[in-house]
Amino acid sequence: MKARVHVTLKSGVLDPQGTAIQGALAHLGFEGVQGVRQGKLIELDLAESDPVRGRAVVEEMCRRLLANTVIENYAIEVVP
Amino acid sequence: MRSAVIVFPASNCDRDAETALRDITGRAPHMVWHAEGTFPEVDLIVLPGGFSYGDYLRAGAMAAHSPVMREVVARAGRGVPVLGICNGFQILCESGLLPGALMRNASLKFLGRDVHVRVETSQSLFTSRYAVGAVARMPIAHGDGNYFADDATLDRLEERGQIAFRYCLPDGTVGGAGNPNGARRDIAGIFNETKTVLGLMPHPERAADPLLGGTDGRAMFEGLAEALS
């Protein structure tokens, strides 16, 4: 099975990259962009086939390495 | 004083730390490769600056889980002093030895220049040779030095005297144009609760010889040598 982990900055944490992207979009003439937050997408290819066990393992991976929970949130998407 | 400098792939200030320690303490440090599971007993462990593991995922994230760090965390738990400089500070935060995180500089630019920091306490192994309020000039060289922690954590750091250095102007005025990277509350360096672990973004080891353009970092190593010898 595959899993996708979306890592995003917590709300309230400044995202200077997102702000820079927003500025660049405005510069290109895209109007009405009210906010940009940049994150990461991590795709995992797992030997595990049970989605419940797979999600639990990925959860542990997120807590220990994939996300820094001081500043980031994560969301796990399991693709059977 | 016996010391060890931990060397990660893409550390680049390990030799600067080695030189400063050897010159000031009179004893060459052990240079310990990151893959080592253990290393000799020492009085001080230094995590040097650099871009360990290419800053992949997050600065310091990979190094925080390298084999040698299990030993560093265990020894820090027993009270062995640990000094993390620049990338070393990022590794200390990622490994949980220090609270908070170091984010991308607010300007998004890599900064390589001298900054001024105000010494917030002299009540530590690392700052005993500095006067409170003294201004030290040291270089920075980082893209991710923007210290972040939530308000409750920052309040706790302040209440417990865990802030070691704050960015300031040359006259000692904290913050404003003196803050190069957007760090919250102008924090340049913090201690753990027992003040046996210090992480800071500026480089004292690169301001420890007149040939390098400054000597304001020497007092940190002199104080450590005095306390730990």
Side-chain angles (χ1 to χ4, degrees):
Chain A
M1 57 174 272
K2 290 184 190 300
R4 290 197 193 99
V5 176
H6 299 261
V7 180
T8 49
L9 283 173
K10 286 182 176 175
S11 59
V13 174
L14 280 176
D15 179 6
Q17 294 183 92
T19 307
I21 293 167
Q22 188 175 352
L25 288 172
H27 188 68
L28 288 170
F30 292 100
E31 289 169 15
V33 179
Q34 294 179 326
V36 178
R37 306 283 283 172
Q38 188 189 277
K40 290 178 194 133
L41 169 64
I42 301 168
E43 288 189 326
L44 302 161
D45 204 346
L46 304 172
E48 179 62 63
S49 56
D50 180 77
V52 175
R53 281 200 301 265
R55 180 178 286 274
V57 171
V58 175
E59 179 89 25
E60 179 71 8
M61 291 177 190
C62 288
R63 277 199 302 268
R64 292 186 55 190
L65 180 67
L66 300 181
N68 179 338
T69 55
V70 174
I71 48 172
E72 293 169 332
N73 290 322
Y74 58 85
I76 301 167
E77 187 188 343
V78 171
V79 188
Chain B
M1 181 181 80
R2 299 163 302 168
S3 58
V5 176
I6 310 297
V7 184
F8 299 96
S11 290
N12 66 9
C13 293
D14 45 322
R15 301 277 287 276
D16 303 69
E18 179 184 22
T19 302
L21 286 165
R22 191 185 57 231
D23 289 356
I24 295 166
T25 71
R27 210 164 157 171
H30 296 280
M31 303 303 283
V32 181
W33 182 237
H34 75 112
E36 303 291 331
T38 187
F39 52 91
E41 287 295 320
V42 292
D43 306 303
L44 172 72
I45 299 168
V46 177
L47 304 180
F51 297 86
S52 57
Y53 299 85
D55 277 353
Y56 289 174
L57 194 63
R58 297 177 303 275
M62 300 293 177
H65 299 284
S66 68
V68 76
M69 281 306 295
R70 275 194 287 275
E71 182 69 12
V72 172
V73 170
R75 292 196 194 186
R78 298 204 307 265
V80 175
V82 180
L83 169 62
I85 302 165
C86 194
N87 190 218
F89 185 13
Q90 295 161 344
I91 295 167
L92 287 171
C93 288
E94 282 284 342
S95 65
L97 285 173
L98 290 175
L102 290 144
M103 303 188 50
R104 185 64 56 90
N105 293 342
S107 65
L108 294 176
K109 290 190 171 70
F110 179 90
L111 299 169
R113 61 176 172 86
D114 283 0
V115 296
H116 294 85
V117 292
R118 191 180 75 181
V119 179
E120 299 295 292
T121 176
S122 57
Q123 301 291 310
S124 81
L125 291 169
F126 304 91
T127 56
S128 63
R129 287 283 189 102
Y130 293 95
V132 175
V135 175
R137 182 169 61 88
M138 301 179 198
I140 54 168
H142 63 244
D144 299 81
N146 181 353
Y147 183 75
F148 177 88
D150 60 30
D151 288 330
T153 304
L154 293 168
D155 290 345
R156 199 169 61 240
L157 288 172
E158 284 179 347
E159 281 161 20
R160 295 180 180 173
Q162 286 176 248
I163 297 174
F165 298 101
R166 279 192 160 99
Y167 297 111
C168 67
L169 294 169
D171 68 1
T173 308
V174 164
N179 181 338
N181 54 29
R184 294 202 75 191
R185 301 196 193 176
D186 307 303
I187 288 173
I190 56 166
F191 301 110
N192 67 342
E193 280 186 33
T194 55
K195 291 193 187 174
T196 50
V197 175
L198 168 66
L200 77 169
M201 290 313 297
H203 287 268
E205 85 289 11
R206 286 167 60 178
D209 187 304
L211 281 174
L212 298 176
T215 55
D216 287 358
R218 277 189 81 86
M220 184 178 296
F221 298 99
E222 288 167 353
L224 286 163
E226 183 181 55
L228 300 174
S229 292

